[in-house]
Amino acid sequence: MKILYKLLIILFLITNFANGEQIYVFKFTEEEFETLQKKKVKGETIWTLGSNENGNYIKAEAIAAGSGLGKEIKVNLNKTPYLNITWKIEKNLENIIENSKKGHDYAARVF
């Protein structure tokens, strides 16, 4: 009986996750790109919209600078339990001590 109960719970969880909603946070269009919020921390970042064989993307170029680009949305995690994000980092940050206060820099992150 315990095995049947566990199987039913697993089946329920799989069914719920398989039926999750899809939310596209970014569509990478010119119109959307113009509405994104920019947060300048230090220096200047150049943001450009581009495309390649994999689709559209946003490119950030910065030297000794830090900033953010994005938008805030609310997501119901019961309906959308997975996050799928893809990015490419052409050059990583150097000499970062990640467990120090000054080492909180990242080439890309989601929060």
Side-chain angles (χ1 to χ4, degrees):
M1 191 63 157
K2 285 184 178 182
I3 294 174
L4 179 62
Y5 182 67
K6 289 179 183 179
L7 286 174
L8 286 174
I9 290 174
I10 291 170
L11 181 62
F12 173 76
L13 291 173
I14 291 172
T15 303
N16 264 356
F17 290 148
N19 293 326
E21 288 182 15
Q22 283 189 339
I23 298 174
Y24 292 93
V25 176
F26 293 113
K27 295 182 182 170
F28 303 103
T29 64
E30 283 285 341
E31 297 81 21
E32 176 193 48
F33 183 64
E34 297 299 322
T35 66
L36 296 176
Q37 300 168 1
K38 296 177 183 174
K39 171 134 177 146
K40 184 176 175 182
V41 178
K42 175 185 173 188
E44 189 65 37
T45 301
I46 300 169
W47 303 95
T48 55
L49 189 62
S51 66
N52 62 19
E53 66 278 355
N54 295 319
N56 295 344
Y57 60 86
I58 296 174
K59 181 177 181 178
E61 294 181 77
I63 297 175
S67 63
L69 181 70
K71 65 181 175 181
E72 186 175 327
I73 65 167
K74 292 187 187 267
V75 176
N76 182 336
L77 296 178
N78 292 319
K79 293 182 179 179
T80 54
Y82 295 102
L83 174 66
N84 182 2
I85 188 166
T86 303
W87 54 49
K88 177 182 176 183
I89 300 169
E90 291 181 347
K91 184 177 179 186
N92 203 2
L93 301 174
E94 297 176 1
N95 302 321
I96 298 294
I97 302 170
E98 295 168 350
N99 60 356
S100 71
K101 186 173 182 178
K102 291 186 176 185
H104 69 279
D105 288 337
Y106 301 91
R109 68 177 156 185
V110 174
F111 64 95

